[in-house]
Amino acid sequence: QVLLVESVVGLVQPGGSLRLSCTASGRVRFFNTMAWYRQAPGKQRELVAAMSSDGTTNYEDSVKGRFAISRDVSKNTVYLQMNSLKPEDTAVYYCLGRVITSDYWGQGTQVTVSS
């Protein structure tokens, strides 16, 4: 069994910052890719940021320059630093760990950006 657990449920004002973290435990010791997705009410789940094992990153266009993904391989943890948050960033954020063709999802954490 593989378990990914996100932490930080956040309510933040526009322009504020939050840092999400997701730690994996279980039989998988290393993920080829770790990523963050989000799903807003009434919308499809979308990729926010991803990091490959070689350090390559990619970001959804609307978060470029504001969000940063990082990994601590020794802790099997992925982080998402979110700055200059906007109301449209409000969503449930999910972390993903991918091993070749197997995907493992976290349970999701709510982020609300509101004044």
Side-chain angles (χ1 to χ4, degrees):
Q1 183 181 359
V2 178
L3 185 65
L4 282 78
V5 179
E6 298 101 339
S7 63
V8 176
V9 176
L11 172 60
V12 63
Q13 292 186 338
S17 298
L18 276 177
R19 187 191 194 210
L20 306 183
S21 64
C22 172
T23 299
S25 61
R27 59 183 179 85
V28 177
R29 298 299 183 184
F30 181 77
F31 295 92
N32 300 103
T33 297
M34 297 194 82
W36 288 94
Y37 283 72
R38 66 185 179 187
Q39 187 167 19
K43 295 187 177 181
Q44 290 188 330
R45 190 174 298 189
E46 65 175 0
L47 175 67
V48 176
M51 177 176 274
S52 305
S53 56
D54 64 359
T56 302
T57 59
N58 66 287
Y59 294 91
E60 196 270 327
D61 285 346
S62 70
V63 308
K64 288 179 180 177
R66 298 190 297 123
F67 290 11
I69 188 171
S70 60
R71 290 174 65 170
D72 185 333
V73 175
S74 66
K75 296 180 180 180
N76 231 358
T77 297
V78 62
Y79 304 96
L80 184 67
Q81 179 65 43
M82 306 187 292
N83 299 323
S84 301
L85 282 160
K86 303 176 181 180
E88 51 263 43
D89 295 317
T90 296
V92 177
Y93 284 72
Y94 299 88
C95 70
L96 166 79
R98 175 170 293 156
V99 181
I100 306 177
T101 58
S102 296
D103 288 347
Y104 302 92
W105 290 93
Q107 81 284 0
T109 187
Q110 177 69 47
V111 173
T112 302
V113 184
S114 174
S115 56

